[in-house]
Amino acid sequence: MAGLINEEDLATVRERSRIEDVVASFVTLRRAGGGSLAGLCPFHDEKTPSFRVTPARGFWHCFGCGEGGDVISFVQKINNVGFAEAVEYLADRVGVQLRFSDAGGARVEPGLRMRVLEANRLAAEFYTGHLLSATGLPGRQFLDGRGFDKTAAEQFGIGFAPTGGRELGQHLKAQGFSDEELVRAGLVRENGWDFFQGRVLWPIRDAGRSVLGFGARRIFDDDRMPAKYLNTPETIIYKKSNVLYGLDLARGNIAKKNQAVIVEGYTDVMACHLAGVDTAVASCGTAFGDEHSRLLQRLLGTGDVSGGEVIFTFDGDAAGQAAALKVFKGDQNFSAQTYVAVEPSGLDPCDLRIQQGEAAVRELVGRRVPLYQFVMRNILAEHDLDRVDGRLAALRAAAPLVSSIRDKSLFERYIRELAKWLGDPDPNEVRREVNATMHRRPAEQRRQADRRPPEVADAALPGLPEPAPSLPVPDPRDRRLEAERGTLRLLVRAPEKFVDDWFGLVPGDFTHPTYRALFEVVQGVADGAGPWTQRMLAANPDPVLESLVISLAVEPVLREPTEAYAREYAAQLRVQTVSRQIAELKSKLQRTNPLADQTAYNRMFAQLVNLEKDRKDLVALATGPAL
Ligand SMILES: [Zn+2]
């Protein structure tokens, strides 16, 4: 560590760092009354903004997850760095040259982060200078062939890495950078050669316009590096799962238009912006992943289904369809606001602009369709819908996708649309197949499917375990889930009150996957030894379950947890399950012709009578706490 930060400098950094500006680089904030600003919390998943910033007091606080603090703690948390590094980050933003002192008061070198940022800034300048010089001719010819002139090159900060292989390193060492700093910045290799040689480069910046790294394209046939595209390796400032090319240019427009367009490459981002699609970004050297989607959602500023639009320009080909399916199966808040724009000619935005002009690029984005429609239609297209067996096979193939939707409002919409595309005027058959799919899947598989897919495998650091897939965070204020949460609240505090085999509760009584998972944990550790909470936490290391257990343990309970109180809650939950079964059976009865199948009809009718009786008994038990 470089020693203590000079007190005076620290005070200056605090003074000059406007918390609303710093937070706004990561979260779109809107005025929320009382002099505060609101946005979606970057530290927990949520649909409605409960994250507040109060500029006058210099504080931030989230009413959803309880996190809060000052501008330095915000930077620590969002960048996952220590205090000193957070101060360096802020000092860099507001232009304060930090002085460090050890115990004796002697000045030592500033921290690495700032040096790496500075090296990247100078490298970007060096590369743009070379693009315009005589050595940069091949780079300029490449850009010219893609329809980009000098103004465009300047606007996007494009550069050229000379072919000699040592020029950048020598240039930066002359400016006082050490070999180690340049290696850590990802600009020079361990063997002393420049990381990028003889390539066209795009600077990859954060929303605050600091250069974090570069993307580079091969232009010479004899390039020693085989990959067409090469990116800065992971450094302390460049994390490929967390950066989007074009974000510095698109950021303000994304918030203003409540829209983001995701394209494949650097030249596509340029073509889009030049054509007026100024919300375009691209992931760099990796597939678009969950981190990227979270980054964009925070900038869109709302998780509302009707709120923001994220438009992917996938290819219509198999790879594009697979990519769309991956997004669809990922974060559902995200997929609900996701659209797909497919260019029938198969041209990417860059080629489209060259061959058909800028209006064609705007039209491509204008032709977007909802992601689920794109995914469903691709599935249906594999079947012959003119034949009865073809339609049935198509329905079987599409039903699992619909059954994976958790949002009930979307669920109904998808069922109706699927029926329409199948040419079936009655959505009940689709609904039946979707329900059957859900029940066919064993509980464990269902739970797995409800989880987010793991991050792209190569995002894991060597030697560290892969990031665990996470359960969705239930909204504690969701009234429909109050009986589920209330029961778990008691189970977490006083499991011994749930006698008679949990009063008949089963995992299926919990409709939210995370609540269901916690109940399964409770059942699994019931016979173990040691403190109850520790047992629950040890049984499942999922961070969402962990924080749920802790919240439930501290949430207020209305009454002393007694056996009678526990029985009432369990009964409430069972009433809900039985009510769902009754509704299902009734709809089945309505679709059964009593004259055609007398036995089946009578059997279902008897079942219904029994269920109604069960419900009546349970309602009598559940009259305690208000629902
Ligand atoms: Zn939060």
Side-chain angles (χ1 to χ4, degrees):
M1 185 56 238
L4 297 171
I5 298 166
N6 178 293
E7 282 290 333
E8 227 171 88
D9 293 348
L10 182 58
T12 314
V13 168
R14 271 191 206 277
E15 216 168 88
R16 287 199 205 162
S17 302
R18 290 158 53 92
I19 190 165
E20 63 274 33
D21 293 345
V22 173
V23 173
S25 295
F26 302 93
V27 181
T28 290
L29 296 170
R30 301 183 195 284
R31 244 182 277 282
S36 76
L37 303 157
L40 288 179
C41 178
F43 307 121
H44 83 278
D45 285 334
E46 62 176 4
K47 283 188 179 179
T48 49
S50 49
F51 179 86
R52 294 281 188 285
V53 176
T54 315
R57 289 165 55 218
F59 284 131
W60 61 278
H61 178 75
C62 172
F63 293 95
C65 66
E67 293 285 347
D70 65 359
V71 66
I72 296 174
S73 77
F74 178 83
V75 173
Q76 279 183 265
K77 254 190 95 69
I78 198 121
N79 285 342
N80 198 16
V81 296
F83 180 82
E85 255 194 275
V87 175
E88 281 172 25
Y89 171 91
L90 291 169
D92 183 54
R93 277 182 68 112
V94 297
V96 173
Q97 176 78 42
L98 287 180
R99 288 164 295 174
F100 291 79
S101 53
D102 59 22
R107 283 184 59 182
V108 290
E109 278 289 296
L112 184 64
R113 186 191 156 80
M114 199 168 145
R115 295 291 285 167
V116 167
L117 277 169
E118 180 64 4
N120 272 282
R121 188 183 70 78
L122 292 171
E125 268 180 23
F126 173 85
Y127 290 139
T128 51
H130 269 276
L131 181 71
L132 298 176
S133 76
T135 50
L137 181 65
R140 294 201 299 278
Q141 284 168 338
F142 167 84
L143 291 169
D144 192 48
R146 296 290 183 286
F148 301 121
D149 59 14
K150 185 163 175 265
T151 318
E154 278 168 1
Q155 182 185 344
F156 294 91
I158 301 172
F160 181 77
T163 47
R166 298 258 188 204
E167 289 95 332
L168 179 75
Q170 282 160 0
H171 173 73
L172 290 178
K173 271 190 270 186
Q175 311 248 350
F177 287 90
S178 70
D179 289 325
E180 203 216 324
E181 283 170 340
L182 296 179
V183 171
R184 296 288 298 273
L187 294 167
V188 171
R189 295 171 189 270
E190 297 270 2
N191 59 15
W193 291 93
D194 289 351
F195 192 85
F196 301 108
Q197 300 171 23
R199 287 187 171 232
V200 171
L201 290 107
W202 287 263
I204 298 163
R205 303 189 176 103
D206 65 9
R209 292 193 68 84
S210 295
V211 179
L212 305 176
F214 299 88
R217 191 190 190 282
R218 185 175 65 176
I219 48 171
F220 296 111
D221 292 336
D222 61 349
D223 197 313
R224 283 183 298 148
M225 303 298 293
K228 187 165 156 194
Y229 284 95
L230 192 63
N231 289 84
T232 294
E234 300 278 299
T235 70
I236 59 165
I237 58 168
Y238 184 87
K239 318 273 179 216
K240 67 181 169 190
S241 60
N242 243 328
V243 295
L244 288 168
Y245 175 67
L247 193 64
D248 53 317
L249 303 167
R251 194 219 167 294
N253 305 317
I254 288 174
K256 203 161 62 198
K257 298 185 175 171
N258 217 6
Q259 177 204 73
V261 175
I262 295 149
V263 295
E264 302 253 332
Y266 304 111
T267 52
D268 296 327
V269 171
M270 294 174 71
C272 280
H273 279 261
L274 292 171
V277 180
D278 53 10
T279 57
V281 294
S283 58
C284 310
T286 184
F288 188 90
D290 283 356
E291 288 291 329
H292 296 120
S293 77
R294 263 170 251 155
L295 187 70
L296 284 184
Q297 273 193 300
R298 292 200 298 261
L299 293 180
L300 288 166
T302 167
D304 194 335
V305 174
S306 59
E309 282 183 355
V310 180
I311 303 164
F312 284 86
T313 56
F314 287 127
D315 288 343
D317 62 12
Q321 290 174 20
L325 196 60
K326 185 173 169 283
V327 174
F328 186 80
K329 287 182 171 168
D331 183 344
Q332 294 207 335
N333 289 342
F334 188 66
S335 72
Q337 56 188 128
T338 304
Y339 292 74
V340 178
V342 175
E343 171 53 38
S345 63
L347 294 174
D348 59 30
C350 178
D351 287 332
L352 194 61
R353 176 172 169 266
I354 298 169
Q355 294 181 23
Q356 298 178 23
E358 295 187 340
V361 177
R362 292 191 293 273
E363 281 158 23
L364 162 66
V365 174
R367 268 198 310 273
R368 63 191 175 273
V369 296
L371 174 68
Y372 78 91
Q373 207 177 89
F374 178 76
V375 169
M376 294 285 182
R377 292 207 158 176
N378 282 333
I379 291 174
L380 299 187
E382 289 166 16
H383 301 274
D384 180 0
L385 299 183
D386 290 335
R387 296 166 52 103
V388 175
D389 56 346
R391 282 199 298 273
L392 188 63
L395 174 58
R396 290 247 160 91
L401 274 183
V402 180
S403 73
S404 68
I405 308 289
R406 287 191 306 272
D407 186 327
K408 284 291 165 251
S409 61
L410 291 173
F411 193 76
E412 266 307 308
R413 194 173 104 203
Y414 291 5
I415 284 179
R416 265 181 269 122
E417 296 231 17
L418 181 55
K420 203 174 75 195
W421 294 328
L422 285 166
D424 186 348
D426 175 17
N428 270 329
E429 195 190 339
V430 173
R431 189 172 294 122
R432 203 155 49 230
E433 181 60 33
V434 169
N435 282 334
T437 314
M438 268 193 280
H439 292 132
R440 227 176 276 143
R441 280 189 296 165
E444 176 54 22
Q445 199 190 330
R446 207 152 53 221
R447 223 174 73 202
Q448 291 295 337
D450 285 333
R451 292 177 179 184
R452 289 222 186 82
E455 302 281 333
V456 270
D458 59 359
L461 294 167
L464 289 174
E466 281 196 28
S470 193
L471 287 161
V473 179
D475 179 358
R477 289 158 302 188
D478 191 334
R479 305 215 20 116
R480 291 163 304 176
L481 299 174
E482 171 44 33
E484 294 179 28
R485 194 178 182 92
T487 306
L488 287 170
R489 209 182 283 132
L490 290 178
L491 275 167
V492 162
R493 290 166 196 224
E496 72 285 356
K497 307 295 182 200
F498 286 76
V499 295
D500 298 338
D501 201 14
W502 313 104
F503 293 125
L505 286 176
V506 292
D509 291 323
F510 296 84
T511 61
H512 192 287
T514 306
Y515 289 155
R516 189 162 58 236
L518 180 55
F519 182 69
E520 283 167 347
V521 168
V522 166
Q523 285 184 310
V525 299
D527 298 325
W532 178 241
T533 317
Q534 296 309 321
R535 259 147 68 193
M536 283 188 292
L537 293 178
N540 192 329
D542 189 295
V544 172
L545 273 190
E546 187 179 322
S547 69
L548 177 62
V549 168
I550 292 163
S551 317
L552 291 172
V554 298
E555 272 175 19
V557 281
L558 299 173
R559 287 196 273 156
E560 185 60 27
T562 60
E563 207 176 285
Y565 194 37
R567 187 190 297 277
E568 283 165 14
Y569 257 116
Q572 277 183 29
L573 214 47
R574 299 280 305 130
V575 168
Q576 293 180 357
T577 306
V578 172
S579 300
R580 279 197 302 273
Q581 289 167 343
I582 288 173
E584 222 170 90
L585 202 54
K586 274 186 175 166
S587 109
K588 221 191 263 180
L589 268 171
Q590 263 163 7
R591 292 190 310 266
T592 309
N593 182 351
L595 299 175
D597 193 348
Q598 184 77 48
T599 335
Y601 190 87
N602 288 348
R603 198 184 56 235
M604 280 192 272
F605 196 82
Q607 247 177 327
L608 183 63
V609 172
N610 281 334
L611 281 172
E612 296 276 19
K613 186 186 168 299
D614 284 353
R615 176 158 70 178
K616 215 171 135 223
D617 295 345
L618 285 166
V619 167
L621 281 173
T623 46
L627 265 171

